[in-house]
Amino acid sequence: MFMPEKMTEVSESQLRVAFDGDAVLFSDESERIFKTHGLDKFFEHEKENEDRLLDHGPLKGFLEALGKLQKKFYAKGQRLDCPIRTYLVTARSAASSGIRALKTLRAWGLEIDEALFLAGAPKGPMLEKIRPHIYFDDQMFHVEGAAEMGTIAAHVPYGIAQKYNSQHKMSTGK
């Protein structure tokens, strides 16, 4: 976990948890295509597999647990006043590759309160706006960006990005 130097003020009445998609909630299948073959092949792969569900990633179970808690509030008619809010904050774009992520969540019976498709834009500024208590991502670049914007961020050491993270460390010493 990475603590920011200056913490963003967060809600005291609502737990807000934000997740990256690939290699966090979902497997790193699509991330592998992107890292090894580039963006055009990634978009092609996502279009060809739009109706095929993504495999689960390491934090799917955590989102399921949060969802079960949320449903207890929904059953009491407290959907709008639920003290737990979940976010998907992903570099995917809604138009070209986000549909597969949403179809997968729906098929799993999981709800995300807000899905934010940033189309490659930095995640830090969006996290600064939604003010989650914690953000989970597999790429250190995004974890560090979140922390720089005042969000507590947790690195999820899973998937192909770890290979690229370690190669970057060896070549830069960082």
Side-chain angles (χ1 to χ4, degrees):
M1 287 186 49
F2 293 81
M3 302 292 290
E5 286 183 28
K6 184 176 182 228
M7 295 271 299
T8 298
E9 190 174 317
V10 294
S11 173
E12 292 184 16
S13 61
Q14 185 179 65
L15 173 65
R16 297 177 184 177
V17 182
F19 300 91
D20 177 36
D22 294 308
V24 176
L25 292 178
F26 313 117
S27 74
D28 71 336
E29 166 200 333
S30 298
E31 186 81 22
R32 286 179 181 279
I33 299 295
F34 172 69
K35 294 281 190 199
T36 56
H37 301 290
L39 192 57
D40 289 339
K41 286 288 184 192
F42 166 78
F43 286 138
E44 185 180 307
H45 173 79
E46 289 302 293
K47 185 69 178 155
E48 289 171 2
N49 292 282
E50 185 177 300
D51 294 320
R52 198 173 119 272
L53 300 181
L54 290 157
D55 286 333
H56 68 85
L59 293 186
K60 176 193 176 204
F62 183 42
L63 179 60
E64 286 174 324
L66 291 172
K68 286 178 184 174
L69 291 171
Q70 285 178 307
K71 286 178 181 170
K72 290 180 181 196
F73 287 94
Y74 300 169
K76 295 177 185 176
Q78 297 177 335
R79 179 176 281 273
L80 296 177
D81 296 322
C82 183
I84 302 167
R85 190 155 185 87
T86 56
Y87 300 84
L88 172 64
V89 181
T90 178
R92 287 174 174 258
S93 75
S96 59
S97 58
I99 191 73
R100 188 171 181 209
L102 293 176
K103 284 181 176 181
T104 297
L105 289 169
R106 190 175 305 128
W108 289 345
L110 296 177
E111 292 183 36
I112 286 279
D113 294 301
E114 291 187 43
L116 306 162
F117 297 96
L118 304 181
K123 297 176 183 180
M126 183 57 67
L127 293 167
E128 185 178 34
K129 285 184 178 20
I130 63 175
R131 298 174 181 229
H133 290 84
I134 190 163
Y135 172 64
F136 296 95
D137 202 300
D138 64 305
Q139 297 187 54
M140 284 304 299
F141 171 78
H142 295 301
V143 169
E144 291 165 353
E148 286 171 13
M149 300 302 269
T151 299
I152 296 173
H155 179 234
V156 179
Y158 173 81
I160 194 168
Q162 306 324 297
K163 176 182 173 186
Y164 287 81
N165 283 339
S166 63
Q167 285 176 348
H168 175 75
K169 282 181 189 174
M170 288 189 314
S171 66
T172 64
K174 294 182 183 177

